[in-house]
Amino acid sequence: MSGDHDDAVISRQVRLLETLLEQKGIVGGDTVDEVIDGFLSGASPLNGAKAVARAWIDPEFKERLLADGTAAVTELGFTGQAGQRLRVVENTDAVHNMIVCTLCSCYPLRLLGPSPGWYKSEAYRSRVVREPRAVLSEFGVTLPDAVRVTVWDSSSDTRYMVLPRRPAGTGSLGEPELATLVTRNGLIGTAAV
């Protein structure tokens, strides 16, 4: 599959960059590993779930999250990479949102954790744009015909996260309990919560 080829190319490029940094005496390999491990240690879909749960119980936070996702998640202590903007799109009774990166696999890593293999695959990246309902069906999601499906294409500048609809019957749940209902696929839009 082409996604495997892309991963191999990226891996070679990363190894080459590490080698050059070491040869030039800029940074050692252990330091690179520590930085990567440190960055990934805070990357989890639990972070995105916390933001969603807060939005479900705090209308003012929800408003800020939809207006400026970057600033809103920073309030919760979650930051992205410099220069990246987070845009949060809300699922409603009339609209279901999905995210993709058609060029590679741009993704809000800090909020969603490492991207699943299928998200990086060429099959997902090309099909979700052409036939989003078919892709949703393969994930077990069937929407009424009246619901519009919108696909958002991430880039190196703008990353997307879906604000899923709050499940019915959860009015008595607090923020921590609500966060446990949110999945990474719900944050991508390939699952209903």
Side-chain angles (χ1 to χ4, degrees), residues 78-131:
F78 308 125
T79 57
Q81 291 180 290
Q84 291 177 355
R85 176 178 157 238
L86 175 68
R87 181 157 179 216
V88 178
V89 291
E90 181 181 17
N91 284 352
T92 66
D93 291 339
V95 178
H96 182 89
N97 296 285
M98 299 173 72
I99 62 171
V100 66
C101 180
T102 56
L103 295 177
C104 53
S105 59
C106 293
Y107 180 87
L109 183 71
R110 181 70 69 193
L111 296 170
L112 277 63
S115 58
W118 56 262
Y119 183 85
K120 298 180 272 189
S121 74
E122 185 177 337
Y124 176 79
R125 291 182 356 236
S126 62
R127 288 188 58 231
V128 73
V129 174
R130 290 180 290 127
E131 47 186 9

Side-chain angles (χ1 to χ4, degrees), residues 19 24 27 36 38 56 60 76 83 101 127 136 165 173 182 193:
T19 301
K24 302 265 183 201
V27 69
I36 290 170
W56 284 345
E60 292 172 356
L76 300 178
C101 180
R127 288 188 58 231
L136 280 171
R165 292 176 53 202
L173 297 181
V182 182
V193 175

